[in-house]
Amino acid sequence: MIKLLGQINSDKDRTKKWIFEKENAGIIEISLISTKTKDIVYVPTHYNCPLGCQNCNIQGICSKGDLKPIDFQDLMDAIDEMLLAGDKRQTSNTNIIISFRGVGEPLLNMPLLDKMYNGQYNLERLGYFNVGFEISTMMPNENLRILSQYIKSGKYPIRVIYRLSSPLDDKLNKLTPASTSSVDASLSYLKMFKDDVSTPEIRRLYRKVFGNKSPVEIFYSIIPEVNDSLFELANLQYFQNRFAIPVVFLKNNAGEKAWVQDILKHYPEANLSITSSYGRDIGCEHGEFDERIYDNSNIPNKIASYEDIANKYHDSKKSTVKKVLNNKVV
């Protein structure tokens, strides 16, 4: 049985976030982004995540203990409570994307992905008829072969997002210590997945839900003076050319636009873009600002200083990451 702790709305966009608690297990945070054409639901795969990624936004309670997979029924109950107000849907959209961008590493909870993909949670009963999934991973691995086999069944498309912290292996291993693969190996898995789902029939399936977006993308969040060196820029461009995988920069800091413009000046053919995260002021992705939200499992009635918290947090995170790298920033 899960218990609703609170619900928070973004002041920046239409994102809403629900926080649930499972006794003796942990926290479940899910977010709803309702656009004009579709609903996007951000969900976790684990109650907590102690993997130790140094640039992650998880703080406090969700980073302690063992990596504990979320129970399938708990997640279904949480999504139901979020999407339904009583017996009525909160939105009228018939398109939905379930995006595994919350706490945890999706490719380390394959039983949950299997149950979600293979219809044990029936989204059609809620009025959704075009369904897609997104997997946001820090460690692409062999399990991507399983996902590509799912898609070949012709049921739902799955997009894979690789959250890359640095294209340099030594620095990446410090920033994401739980990932043991090289950047080259991780991108090889992504390319394998992309090639597997590139048949005309499957691409039509993708277009119904994702439009012209690529089945795989690299998301790169710039941390000033940590992973934005010219050497990293050159390596990122090398990998982008070699594997033909689009690179998307997350707009978290002021430097992204200038950095991308500089890349395009030297590499006008580069497949690069910039995007903003949904619900950044309420920590929509990856359990952001947990330690500052929760106080003995109570949600504040009003969170007036979220933007200040976000700004201070990202400034402190920059210092923390630099310390982890022993200030040896390329």
Side-chain angles (χ1 to χ4, degrees), residues 13 73 96 108-109 119 168 176 184 186 195 271 290-291 307:
D13 52 39
Q73 190 58 52
I96 190 170
L108 296 181
N109 192 356
L168 310 179
T176 56
D184 189 280
S186 294
D195 291 344
N271 189 356
D290 281 338
E291 193 172 63
E307 198 60 34

Side-chain angles (χ1 to χ4, degrees), residues 31-301:
S31 299
L32 172 64
I33 303 103
S34 184
T35 72
K36 292 181 179 179
T37 60
K38 60 182 174 287
D39 291 341
I40 305 170
V41 180
Y42 286 0
V43 299
T45 54
H46 295 79
Y47 293 107
N48 56 359
C49 187
L51 292 177
C53 301
Q54 295 301 316
N55 61 325
C56 185
N57 293 320
I58 293 176
Q59 294 286 309
I61 57 175
C62 281
S63 61
K64 296 176 182 177
D66 298 327
L67 187 66
K68 191 181 299 182
I70 280 182
D71 179 75
F72 173 72
Q73 190 58 52
D74 287 345
L75 185 58
M76 300 310 97
D77 290 344
I79 295 175
D80 268 0
E81 187 161 347
M82 178 191 68
L83 290 176
L84 299 172
D87 293 327
K88 185 179 179 181
R89 270 259 313 276
Q90 292 209 42
T91 74
S92 59
N93 285 326
T94 58
N95 302 324
I96 190 170
I97 296 170
I98 303 294
S99 184
F100 292 93
R101 297 199 199 191
V103 171
E105 167 53 51
L107 295 180
L108 296 181
N109 192 356
M110 292 301 290
L112 180 70
L113 302 189
D114 179 79
K115 289 178 180 178
M116 283 291 291
Y117 188 86
N118 289 306
Q120 293 192 38
Y121 182 61
N122 185 355
L123 287 160
E124 290 187 1
R125 69 183 170 84
L126 299 177
Y128 293 109
F129 301 106
N130 289 317
V131 178
F133 292 91
E134 285 182 334
I135 307 295
S136 176
T137 178
M138 302 289 284
M139 47 186 75
N141 57 44
E142 282 284 343
N143 284 334
L144 291 181
R145 295 185 187 274
I146 299 174
L147 298 186
S148 65
Q149 292 302 313
Y150 288 168
I151 300 167
K152 288 177 181 179
S153 72
K155 198 169 187 180
Y156 308 122
I158 302 174
R159 267 183 17 105
V160 178
I161 297 166
Y162 179 24
R163 299 293 290 261
L164 181 63
S165 303
S166 173
L168 310 179
D169 286 338
D170 289 346
K171 189 178 289 188
L172 180 65
N173 290 338
K174 291 180 179 179
L175 291 172
T176 56
S179 176
T180 57
S181 293
S182 65
V183 177
D184 189 280
S186 294
L187 292 176
S188 295
Y189 285 125
L190 285 185
K191 186 175 186 304
M192 170 208 71
F193 177 87
K194 180 184 176 184
D195 291 344
D196 278 353
V197 301
S198 290
T199 66
E201 184 178 355
I202 293 177
R203 289 299 295 138
R204 283 193 292 272
L205 192 65
Y206 271 88
R207 281 193 291 272
K208 285 175 63 178
V209 180
F210 296 111
N212 291 321
K213 284 187 176 180
S214 172
V216 295
E217 287 181 333
I218 299 168
F219 273 26
Y220 198 89
S221 185
I222 294 175
I223 309 170
E225 300 177 36
V226 171
N227 65 356
D228 62 344
S229 69
L230 291 176
F231 187 47
E232 278 162 307
L233 184 157
N235 275 270
L236 196 62
Q237 180 59 32
Y238 163 75
F239 283 123
Q240 197 273 320
N241 286 340
R242 179 180 166 196
F243 290 98
I245 296 173
V247 178
V248 178
F249 292 91
L250 299 182
K251 191 176 181 182
N252 293 326
N253 306 290
E256 279 92 343
K257 187 174 182 180
W259 210 56
V260 172
Q261 286 175 341
D262 190 46
I263 297 175
L264 294 175
K265 187 188 303 179
H266 295 92
Y267 307 99
E269 75 287 356
N271 189 356
L272 307 174
S273 60
I274 305 176
T275 189
S276 296
S277 298
Y278 287 113
R280 182 167 173 249
D281 60 319
I282 61 170
C284 182
E285 296 185 49
H286 299 280
E288 293 181 8
F289 319 130
D290 281 338
E291 193 172 63
R292 297 162 174 84
I293 296 175
Y294 303 115
D295 179 14
N296 296 322
S297 295
N298 293 319
I299 303 299
N301 293 325

